[in-house]
Amino acid sequence: MAAFGSLSTRLTETLAKLRSKGKLTASDVDGTVREIRRALLDADVALEVVKSFTAAIRERALGAEVSEALNPAQQVVKIVNDELVGILGGETRRLELAKQPPTVIMLAGLQGAGKTTLAGKLAKHLAGQGHTPLLVASDLQRPNAVTQLQVVGGQAGVPVFAPEPGNGVGDPVRVARDGVAEARRRQHDVVIVDTAGRLGVDAEMMQQAASIRKAVQPDEVLFVIDAMIGQDAVATARAFQEGVDFTGVVLTKLDGDARGGAALSIRGVTGKPILFASTGEGLDDFEAFHPDRMASRILDLGDILTLIEQAQKAFDEDEAMRLAEAMATDQFTLEDFLKQMQQLRKAGNFKQMLGMLPGAKGMREAIDGFDEQELVRTEAIIQSMTPQERKQSKILNGSRRLRIARGAGVTVTDVNQLVARFEQAAKMMKTVAKGGVPQMPGMGPMPGMRPKKQQKPQGKQQRRSGNPAKRSAEPAPQPQQGSVFGQPQQQGGAFGDLSGDDQAALQRMLGNR
């Protein structure tokens, strides 16, 4: 989401100015639309897309939809969100699988867009869904492209069909055709064909891509484009649409610091849906593209669904149940703490996950200041302990802590701080597991946990005069009677409204004869 960082900040700041207004005038709407237009142009969004987008917002914002709303500012935010979802594609579009396997997916795009790495990411993504993909190395022009695909395929655990060495040797059209035949023979249900790219759009590249498409008859042609190229994305997308006629788009390098206008431009210019987005360098930094979720992220409304999906992939349900039982029975150890941390790191980039929370822009400094290496250091400290020390942190005396610090390459203070944090976390987890509400360090009692205030006596209290002569003439105050529980007794017996026989029976139960 770093590619949308600047745009997101500008849009949220612009819309925040409306919240202080109870009623919106035409000038308020025009000013907001003008700021949105500037933010989109600064983000390198194509001019024609900006014009249609802002025109639609202005028309809806000046209509009855806003003027009759109880909260006009919130209604404008909803309108902007709806229009963002529209230009990003509307509904989520999934891969169209062939009725008769294998499904053939062809990748096309410029050199440097990340096609080869994306081929491995897509293959691993599909393998995780139960498919059996085969990668086909049809990029025989770029130096070491075949070797790179073999390395990526090995990392993803997916086989690679590479009969030619590449580096200018071999016929890419024949390799693609033979790759599909090989997949059919070995009963792979998905074939991913990696094709050659160029540093720019040229006739030779387009002709080769068109020939491969004609030879393999792909079910999907995915145009892979770098989200950082800005306005050039529009011209490149149009050229590929005319030359290859792709069916979907994959955005790469969304974790970069570019302006991100390509994502908003391509869908509006070509009408082709965005299917996937690459959000990092790792093979797991890959996700399906959901227009509604991306629009929510841009407007700082959060993306809880994606956050939950990432967590579900990383966390083992059986392990989670075992940890919950350990917390409740006071058996939570540093070994369990280590496993939790490893699962957290497996879930993905922690900063990206925090950025999916609603209102993350307000926590930008805290998120940017978070050091991912702190998790690595903590893991190193725990791994420097013996199995007994991980299970019984109470035995960690001074000499043991010194040995652990040397083994992990940290100071004894770091070890002490980790042990203190673990003990505090274990205490809080135990409280939560037993249904209690923990008190956070540095904070007061949680809401609902404050002691009840003493109830003031009902009715007007009679005050005695400070003059001794007058006080002697006043009636003496009657002492307030109360039960052993501190509550006033009811008239009619020692136990309130109970009858005489019931009171006698209760007295006998209490041992009072």
Side-chain angles (χ1 to χ4, degrees), residues 128-420:
Q129 295 181 345
H131 296 285
T132 55
L134 174 69
L135 292 169
V136 177
S138 289
D139 182 358
L140 305 180
Q141 276 70 40
R142 183 169 62 87
N144 297 319
V146 174
T147 303
Q148 182 187 355
L149 187 64
Q150 289 173 328
V151 172
V152 170
Q155 293 173 343
V158 175
V160 179
F161 180 75
E164 299 290 350
N167 297 323
V169 178
D171 181 2
V173 179
R174 180 174 57 81
V175 169
R177 187 189 303 113
D178 292 347
V180 174
E182 179 72 6
R184 190 174 289 111
R185 184 181 68 82
R186 293 166 56 182
Q187 296 185 342
H188 289 275
D189 65 345
V190 177
V191 182
I192 301 174
V193 182
D194 181 29
T195 65
R198 294 290 190 275
L199 293 177
V201 177
D202 59 54
E204 182 184 355
M205 179 185 66
M206 288 300 179
Q207 182 58 47
Q208 184 183 111
S211 299
I212 292 176
R213 172 165 188 159
K214 184 177 180 181
V216 301
Q217 295 294 310
D219 300 283
E220 293 277 14
V221 179
L222 301 184
F223 173 49
V224 182
I225 188 163
D226 184 347
M228 300 175 68
I229 67 174
Q231 287 286 346
D232 289 342
V234 176
T236 304
R238 281 178 171 155
F240 271 88
Q241 188 176 22
E242 294 172 1
V244 186
D245 190 22
F246 55 86
T247 59
V249 179
V250 180
L251 291 173
T252 62
K253 305 179 185 178
L254 271 183
D255 58 321
D257 57 357
R259 300 173 185 177
L264 301 177
S265 302
I266 291 176
R267 167 66 185 181
V269 171
T270 66
K272 302 297 183 181
I274 303 172
L275 272 64
F276 299 100
S278 175
T279 57
E281 297 181 0
L283 292 183
D284 292 320
D285 297 328
F286 181 79
E287 60 187 46
F289 188 87
H290 301 279
D292 54 342
R293 301 185 191 181
M294 186 58 69
S296 292
R297 289 197 216 178
I298 292 174
L299 295 180
D300 197 26
L301 301 177
D303 185 3
I304 299 300
L305 289 177
T306 301
L307 184 61
I308 292 173
E309 289 173 358
Q310 289 188 4
Q312 287 176 337
K313 290 179 184 177
F315 285 87
D316 184 350
E317 186 175 353
D318 294 336
E319 180 66 18
M321 293 295 293
R322 190 193 68 78
L323 287 175
E325 184 177 352
M327 293 174 196
T329 57
D330 201 17
Q331 296 177 353
F332 188 70
T333 66
L334 279 164
E335 185 72 35
D336 299 324
F337 192 58
L338 176 63
K339 290 180 180 179
Q340 269 197 336
M341 189 172 305
Q342 289 173 337
Q343 285 188 336
L344 181 65
R345 291 184 61 199
K346 209 165 68 174
N349 185 290
F350 201 67
K351 289 185 179 180
Q352 290 182 1
M353 293 172 66
L354 290 175
M356 295 179 190
L357 296 173
K361 291 292 178 297
M363 303 184 294
R364 180 174 296 278
E365 289 187 8
I367 294 174
D368 291 343
F370 177 78
D371 184 8
E372 296 255 1
Q373 292 302 311
E374 184 65 28
L375 298 178
V376 179
R377 286 190 290 271
T378 301
E379 188 174 345
I381 292 173
I382 300 177
Q383 288 178 335
S384 297
M385 299 177 184
T386 65
Q388 184 184 10
E389 289 169 343
R390 297 181 197 177
K391 294 178 181 178
Q392 299 176 352
S393 59
K394 300 296 183 184
I395 68 174
L396 291 174
N397 55 23
S399 61
R400 290 177 183 268
R401 297 189 186 204
L402 178 60
R403 189 204 76 241
I404 293 167
R406 288 174 177 172
V410 298
T411 65
V412 176
T413 303
D414 294 329
V415 178
N416 293 339
Q417 290 176 348
L418 169 62
V419 174

